Amino acid sequence: MEFLYEYGLFLAKAVTIVIAIMAVVVLVLASSMKNKAEKGELRLTDISDELLQLKHQLKEELLSKKQFKAYEKQVKADEKAADKADVTKGKVFVIDFKGSIDAGEVASLREEVTAILTIADKDDEVLVNVESGGGMVHGYGLASSQLDRLRQANIPLSICIDKVAASGGYMMACVANKVYAAPFAIVGSIGVVAQVPNFNRLLKKHDIDYEQHTAGDFKRTLTIFGENTDEGRAKFQQELEETHVLFKEFVGRYRPEMDIAKVATGEHWYGQQAIDLGLIDEISTSDDVILNLVKTHQVIKIRYQMKKKLADKIAHGASLSVNAVMNKLVERNQSV
């Protein structure tokens, strides 16, 4: 009897665990299906209103009661005059683009640009804060094309570079009607680079054969595991040169006044140097640009936020942890 009792207890525990696991699986599947149905959402933030509230809070903190009452009275008078005049401010839509190697953020960018094109009026403008050291050609080519949609619609486009817009990042920046950069922002790097490791000698050393079959002489120019040929290397270099020519022509189309031969060497420059080379138009941070725009426009940040699956969230958390460790290691060995 004691054996049956223990067996029944064990069986009950086992069933409870199985049910709990099934419940978790159902929740994960439900969450996954919901994410598929709702890919993301558009969020708007009124920067003008946020700055106005900040100003109001600071005035209340720093002014005397009498001075603050006078300030509030003046604000109400200004609002009443604006309502009576029925003057509508133009809008400036602000987008943040922090690009990765594959420019995967273009998925959100295309939604943000489409939203702006849907609602923008003739007096509206767009400001994009670009931060990227570049990456895959096709990814940043598409990101640049998304910004060009604004140019084609005759919507004034400005780009701010606070930290870095190099290579593919500058491919995006050059599309703008006006480019701002902070004094020590990294700008330029109009060039193309490719690095391919080769393990063929290591495989041969251990008597490991590697076979690769292709149809077409240059379906694969260089290989990681096979033995590379001089013809393959020459073709690979030719493709890099052709991509560089396309890159230079693209930049030259949007900034024809710039000496493209002088800046398209793959080098990068700081903002203070870039303005003399014609890579940018003005030295300024995005903060100052926005503060000036608030005086004449309603500034609204627009963001399309992709909804992540549970697995993506876990992977993203792990990635942030690894990046934090790597950043600490870099900070120990670097200083300005």
Side-chain angles (χ1 to χ4, degrees), residues 206-258:
H206 294 280
D207 297 322
I208 300 173
D209 293 328
Y210 173 78
E211 293 186 13
Q212 178 175 267
H213 303 275
T214 62
D217 293 339
F218 296 110
K219 178 62 178 176
R220 285 290 180 270
T221 51
L222 296 183
T223 172
I224 296 177
F225 298 108
E227 187 171 355
N228 289 317
T229 63
D230 290 338
E231 291 80 8
R233 293 187 185 95
K235 182 62 177 176
F236 191 76
Q237 183 62 40
Q238 178 189 333
E239 291 171 349
L240 290 181
E241 296 291 346
E242 289 172 352
T243 305
H244 191 209
V245 169
L246 291 173
F247 193 174
K248 290 189 289 185
E249 289 175 349
F250 184 86
V251 174
R253 190 183 315 146
Y254 292 99
R255 300 190 73 83
E257 74 287 347
M258 186 170 60

Side-chain angles (χ1 to χ4, degrees), residues 159 161 165 170 178-188 255 257-259 262-263 267-285:
I159 297 286
I161 308 168
Y170 187 74
K178 191 166 186 177
V179 183
Y180 300 89
F184 288 95
I186 294 174
V187 181
R255 300 190 73 83
E257 74 287 347
M258 186 170 60
D259 185 353
K262 187 175 182 180
V263 299
E267 299 172 82
H268 68 266
W269 291 272
Y270 293 111
Q272 295 171 112
Q273 302 166 314
I275 193 169
D276 296 328
L277 293 168
L279 288 160
I280 66 170
D281 301 298
E282 190 174 322
I283 296 292
S284 182
T285 64

Side-chain angles (χ1 to χ4, degrees), residues 9 23 26 81 102 105 125 151 156 170-171 174 212 277 311 313:
L9 187 62
V26 169
D102 65 351
E105 297 76 12
E125 302 179 21
R151 287 287 301 264
Y170 187 74
M171 183 186 289
C174 74
Q212 178 175 267
L277 293 168
K313 291 179 180 180

